[in-house]
Amino acid sequence: MTLPRSFRAFVAAALVVAPLPALAQTPDPAQVDAAQAEEPPEPGAGTPRAYAPDWRKGAFLLSVGGGYVVPLGSIASGVTVGDLVSGGPGVSVGLGFGLSRHVSFELEGNYGMLGGGEDCAACSGSTLGVGMRLVYHLAQGIAFDPYASYGVGFRTSLVEAPETGAAPDLGIGRSQGIDFARITLGGTFYPHPVFGFGPFLEGTVGSYRLRPDPETSPSVYGFFQVGLRVTFDPLRGGKVRAQSTIASSF
């Protein structure tokens, strides 16, 4: 007996559709978990961490530094500072205030004692600079604090020569000018929460507007200093101890 064509079509369609429910079954949760566990983490993925505690904002700090100062450039047009004076010891004092996690504002003064120059070995001199600067701290909340700063200020320098010294007439006396760029690079290591120390390099560029001989034209001067700076941050200690207390309570 021959089956009707419509019946044969119905049977064929039923055979095709029959496996579909098996394919649509819900996967085993254990198999899904095992597959996910075998998948490697995405590159760069990690556990998010909170920022380090802010120990700088609102804190005052005092710094005292010492080093060696080298004068560069000219006192006035045609008067090279190296002919009259040479490098010598220098000291600096700064008072800073934290503006944010990474930035602080500082008032600073530095003083350098200068020796005799190439054309006047018996000459001597001194330089005093006062000004302000913004300091950017690269790190925060760790024992080592690298920083860079930019500042401006006022400078007065004095060159003295003995009466019998074979010194040029120009440049002897007091000069006053503006430090229009004072750039410092350094780092502070804190062996104790309120006490730190570290090296620094500082370069200053400016121009004397008032000179011993007003007939001379202004010129560009410079100072280079390398030394060691000690920093006292009394409020930092309290913040460190408070953070340690909070951490130990968990």
Side-chain angles (χ1 to χ4, degrees):
M1 181 179 64
T2 303
L3 297 175
R5 180 177 299 178
S6 60
F7 181 77
R8 292 200 301 270
F10 173 79
V11 173
L15 292 176
V16 172
V17 176
L20 294 180
L23 296 177
Q25 291 179 357
T26 304
D28 187 357
Q31 295 178 353
V32 174
D33 294 341
Q36 292 178 348
E38 294 176 358
E39 294 181 357
E42 296 182 1
T47 303
R49 296 182 180 274
Y51 280 111
D54 188 354
W55 296 339
R56 179 165 295 113
K57 184 176 181 180
F60 287 93
L61 60 88
L62 175 67
S63 63
V64 180
Y68 190 79
V69 182
V70 180
L72 304 169
S74 303
I75 296 178
S77 178
V79 185
T80 302
V81 66
D83 295 338
L84 302 179
V85 291
S86 60
V91 295
S92 62
V93 178
L95 177 63
F97 178 77
L99 300 179
S100 69
R101 176 181 295 271
H102 292 286
V103 179
S104 62
F105 173 79
E106 187 170 323
L107 299 176
E108 184 191 24
N110 55 70
Y111 178 79
M113 295 171 283
L114 309 177
E118 295 181 0
D119 295 343
C120 184
C123 288
S124 62
S126 63
T127 181
L128 172 66
V130 293
M132 56 186 176
R133 64 178 185 168
L134 286 176
V135 186
Y136 178 79
H137 303 265
L138 183 62
Q140 217 292 141
I142 62 177
F144 184 68
D145 175 22
Y147 63 87
S149 71
Y150 176 85
V152 296
F154 168 80
R155 181 168 298 275
T156 176
S157 299
L158 176 64
V159 176
E160 298 179 297
E163 295 181 359
T164 57
D169 292 333
L170 295 178
I172 303 300
R174 183 171 295 280
S175 303
Q176 298 178 349
I178 300 295
D179 292 347
F180 47 77
R182 186 183 299 167
I183 301 174
T184 307
L185 300 175
T188 305
F189 171 67
Y190 285 91
H192 187 275
V194 300
F195 166 79
F197 65 91
F200 71 92
L201 299 173
E202 183 171 282
T204 301
V205 179
S207 178
Y208 290 120
R209 313 310 299 175
L210 300 178
R211 301 167 298 282
D213 185 353
E215 299 299 325
T216 59
S217 300
S219 186
V220 176
Y221 65 80
F223 289 91
F224 175 76
Q225 184 176 6
V226 56
L228 182 71
R229 179 168 290 147
V230 178
T231 302
F232 301 93
D233 192 346
L235 296 183
R236 187 176 188 270
K239 292 184 177 182
V240 172
R241 287 190 292 270
Q243 182 65 26
S244 301
T245 302
I246 294 173
S248 61
S249 63
F250 287 99

